[in-house]
Each structure stands twice: as structure tokens, then as C-alpha cells.
Amino acid sequence: MEPLQFFSIGSGSSGNCYYLGTSTYGVLIDAGISIRTIKKELRDHGISLSNIWGVFITHDHTDHIKSVGVLGEILHLPVYVTQEMFVGINKNYHMTQKLAPSSVRFYKKGEHITLRDFQIQTFPVSHDATDCVGFTFTYDNHRFVIATDLGYIGKEAAEHICKANYLVIETNYDEMMLKNGPYPYPLKERVRSHTGHLSNEHTAQFLASNPNPALTHIFLCHLSKENNTPDKAYEAVHNALEAKGIMVENLIPLPRTEATKIYILK
């Protein structure tokens, strides 16, 4: 089978979008940045938009769905959402291009989806959107897991994360930066809540407490502009793993507003 490729087009509150696939076909995970940027970065990375076989949405907040209406309705790409997400997307007042049911492939959380060489399983995560999921994409017996925008790591999410060969996981904020930062108190409480976001420390301690020898890549995603830095996210996770004698070949904070290179995963 062809090597599995991954790159981030954007990761953060300004917009999230990721490519997972091969050199000839793949999927997008989230579509929270402009369609012009998505097209440009796919082209610059050698991927034709016609070779995108699906768009998988984690939840219906604007920074994850900004261009999904255009991708589904104008460019006719299949959009994979739950029924609850579909309703939430079309209620979002930022969505000038709504989705029609004909553009959507509905699934239920926990359901297995087959798309060419991918076996895809969804799992619930805790966040304050209409409906929220993480994904495990299995390709040639290798598991790529994405868990973003979750206030805590619940049992089902933990089971998927602990089986990953390649993991995209949220490190949204540094606890001291959030505490001393510019957010008003209610927003700080929302971020810290069980339906908010994962801190560097939360993610670091979970990964250090659940060693997985098969895990070769950790991508740290959805870093806050105001309450985090790539160095702080990296150091928190690296130091926690090192303290337990855990070695991971690749530990990579994803940039907020820039695309990454292509990472060959297998």
C-alpha cells in the first residue's frame, strides 16, 4: 500500500483543517479556514481537490466548519457528520453557505465507516458544541487518531488514544498563561471546564501515565494564541514523557495559521 501522509493546513482558534491520505487520494478533517487557503495548500502539497474523498467534521464550531458548506454544496465533496452536527452547522450564523442533506453522509457516534482503504471509527468527546467526536482512521493496520476540542479525556476517547500509532491531540493552553492572561473570568472558566479544552499539563500527564510503545508521532494541536506557545506545549509533554522514560520519535506542535510539510507516517 502507498505510504500514509499527513499535513496540517491550520490548527487553532483561527481555523482548523488537516489532510490525511496518500499521494493519490485522501480526506480532510475539519474545514475551518477559507476555501482559498484550503485549495492553495492542497495544490502546493501536490494534492488535487478532486482526490479528496470526504470531509470529516469533529464539531460545529466556526473554526472547524467555516468552508464546509462550500466544500459540500459547491464542490460536491461528501461531508461526514452526525445528524446533530448537521443541524448545528446550518444554525451557525457564520455559515452563509448551508448544507443540504444530499451533500451529507450521516453517521452515528461509535459507527464504523469504510472509505477506500480507510476504516474509520468515531468516538465521543466532551466539548460545548452541538455534537462532538474524535476519529480513528485505520490504514493498513496502523491507527491515526485525532482528539481535539475536549475538556477532559473520557473512557472511550482514552481507549482510542491509547491504541494510536499516530496521534493528533489538543494542548490548548498553559495553565499559568490562562490564569494570568487577558480572558474575562467566565471565559477562563469555560476553557478550564469539562466541556472546554485540554491544557498542556492535562495532555502531558495523560500521555505519560499511558505509555504506548507503538506510538511514533504526537502532533500537538489547537494551541491558543493568547494562552499558549509552541515551546510551552512541547516542553510540558516532552518533560512528562521523559520523566517516565518514554521515548516518542516525533513530538510536533502544529502551527496555528501556517501549513506544515507533509509527514510520511508509514
Side-chain angles (χ1 to χ4, degrees), residues 149-199:
D149 294 65
L150 62 166
Y152 74 101
I153 299 173
K155 180 181 178 181
E156 288 179 83
E159 290 173 354
H160 284 261
I161 291 168
C162 290
K163 295 177 182 177
N165 301 106
Y166 323 110
L167 175 63
V168 179
I169 189 166
E170 180 175 55
T171 48
N172 179 256
Y173 65 97
D174 172 82
E175 291 178 2
M176 290 306 297
M177 285 186 70
L178 178 65
K179 179 180 178 181
N180 299 320
Y183 281 9
Y185 181 76
L187 182 54
K188 291 179 181 181
E189 288 298 287
R190 180 226 165 206
V191 171
R192 280 193 289 249
S193 76
H194 272 197
T195 55
H197 293 279
L198 289 182
S199 70

Side-chain angles (χ1 to χ4, degrees), residues 36-49:
R36 178 180 296 180
T37 300
I38 292 174
K39 286 180 174 180
K40 176 187 181 300
E41 294 301 340
L42 288 175
R43 183 174 64 249
D44 289 352
H45 287 74
I47 305 295
S48 169
L49 195 65

Side-chain angles (χ1 to χ4, degrees), residues 1-143:
M1 298 179 73
E2 279 197 72
L4 185 62
Q5 303 183 359
F6 167 77
F7 62 89
S8 171
I9 301 176
S11 182
S13 57
S14 298
N16 300 270
C17 186
Y18 310 99
Y19 173 83
L20 181 68
T22 70
S23 62
T24 56
Y25 81 96
V27 301
L28 295 178
I29 304 168
D30 286 336
I33 58 180
S34 73
I35 191 64
R36 178 180 296 180
T37 300
I38 292 174
K39 286 180 174 180
K40 176 187 181 300
E41 294 301 340
L42 288 175
R43 183 174 64 249
D44 289 352
H45 287 74
I47 305 295
S48 169
L49 195 65
S50 64
N51 290 333
I52 300 297
W53 282 62
V55 183
F56 288 79
I57 300 299
T58 61
H59 64 288
D60 60 355
H61 283 167
T62 304
D63 59 325
H64 295 259
I65 62 168
K66 180 178 180 180
S67 293
V68 72
V70 175
L71 290 169
E73 293 299 310
I74 307 301
L75 300 175
H76 308 297
L77 299 182
V79 176
Y80 288 79
V81 292
T82 66
Q83 181 67 49
E84 294 83 358
M85 264 189 235
F86 173 73
V87 173
I89 287 169
N90 281 342
K91 284 184 176 180
N92 188 316
Y93 66 89
H94 291 290
M95 294 294 294
T96 55
Q97 177 63 61
K98 305 300 183 183
L99 279 174
S102 59
S103 299
V104 171
R105 306 292 185 270
F106 290 109
Y107 65 83
K108 296 181 180 179
K109 279 187 281 194
E111 183 177 347
H112 288 261
I113 302 163
T114 299
L115 184 62
R116 290 193 58 165
D117 296 312
F118 284 109
Q119 298 294 320
I120 303 144
Q121 190 173 4
T122 64
F123 56 90
V125 300
S126 178
H127 192 54
D128 56 0
T130 306
D131 198 17
C132 311
V133 301
F135 295 105
T136 292
F137 293 82
T138 301
Y139 178 85
D140 194 24
N141 295 318
H142 288 71
R143 294 184 180 92

